[in-house]
Amino acid sequence: NWTTVDHSQATNMVYAMNSTDAGTNANWDFTSTAKTWDGGASTLVWNDANNWNPDGVPDQNDTATLDVASTITTNADINFGTLTIGGSNATNLTLTNNIGAGGDITITSDGTLEQKNAVEQVISGDLNINGTDGHLANLTHTDNSTTDLYHVKFKVGNNFTVTDEFSKVDVIGKGFDAGYGTGYVANCAGSYGGNGGCSSGNEVSKSYGSVSAPTDLGSGAQSGKSGGGAIQISVAATATVNGNLTSNGT
């Protein structure tokens, strides 16, 4: 911020706000504006220009920060150079639409990114999930209930990092409700990747999905238990997982 740069060959993209390009620079972006949520439009919708300071919906060059005790939704595709969710407040961004042009995403303390579709979301940079003690950071999807609608599905152009025990990708119980799903059979357990057991002692003959490359939702059982959700993250560079990726049933 507020600097003059020349002859700098950055390895990764650097967003220099309010700065001057003095020439012979590589991987520097001098068109970036820092956009912070202020809720000026009183709508809790990302795509309303007056909700940002300075006013204007973030574009693909901007750094966008959401740190507000609210659930922010979308009504059109979103763009950003970098996006930070959380920090000091319990902030939820519910992504109903898609990421049009996106760079880095950081989900930090008390931040949640909830995917409310099943479309692969593509970012060019890093995806970082970085909570702190007592203030979790979470990537998840919306509960599917009785129809397959929502998955966590990301294509990451650089590194994917789940920092520690306070950082997670959690879709526990967000698959099919009890009594629903591809593998549901009455009086039997779900049968993802293999035959489930039945109260009669027999096995379910109806299995689905892959044990080694699971992408489908978990099916519910008859006993009020929901299946697990779905996580699919493709990483171009390095994946470092020191936290939890969980998609268990309930």
Side-chain angles (χ1 to χ4, degrees), residues 96-215:
T96 302
N97 303 89
N98 299 311
I99 297 171
D104 300 324
I105 297 176
T106 298
I107 308 168
T108 189
S109 300
D110 293 322
T112 298
L113 175 55
E114 178 181 333
Q115 186 169 351
K116 197 173 182 181
N117 59 44
V119 177
E120 184 177 62
Q121 304 301 319
V122 179
I123 60 173
S124 61
D126 298 330
L127 173 55
N128 298 305
I129 305 174
N130 183 24
T132 54
D133 190 356
H135 302 277
L136 301 180
N138 186 28
L139 173 62
T140 188
H141 64 64
T142 303
D143 183 23
N144 280 275
S145 186
T146 62
T147 306
D148 186 347
L149 296 173
Y150 314 119
H151 293 217
V152 168
K153 195 171 184 181
F154 273 77
K155 184 176 182 180
V156 179
N158 200 36
N159 298 315
F160 169 58
T161 304
V162 184
T163 303
D164 53 26
E165 61 187 302
F166 312 113
S167 314
K168 60 182 181 174
V169 183
D170 185 346
V171 294
I172 293 175
K174 292 190 172 184
F176 288 107
D177 284 353
Y180 293 88
T182 308
Y184 170 74
V185 176
N187 300 309
C188 299
S191 55
Y192 196 117
N195 295 342
C198 301
S199 58
S200 64
N202 296 323
E203 289 186 340
V204 180
S205 59
K206 181 181 181 181
S207 64
Y208 73 106
S210 168
V211 172
S212 60
T215 58

Side-chain angles (χ1 to χ4, degrees), residues 39-122:
S42 301
T43 60
L44 297 178
V45 177
W46 172 293
N47 310 88
D48 288 344
N50 289 339
N51 279 327
W52 296 94
N53 181 25
D55 286 348
V57 178
D59 66 27
Q60 64 187 29
N61 299 309
D62 293 337
T63 63
T65 301
L66 296 173
D67 189 6
V68 58
S70 298
T71 295
I72 309 303
T73 61
T74 66
N75 62 14
D77 289 354
I78 67 172
N79 304 293
F80 52 85
T82 66
L83 167 61
T84 302
I85 304 168
S88 301
N89 296 284
T91 307
N92 183 305
L93 173 60
T94 300
L95 185 64
T96 302
N97 303 89
N98 299 311
I99 297 171
D104 300 324
I105 297 176
T106 298
I107 308 168
T108 189
S109 300
D110 293 322
T112 298
L113 175 55
E114 178 181 333
Q115 186 169 351
K116 197 173 182 181
N117 59 44
V119 177
E120 184 177 62
Q121 304 301 319
V122 179

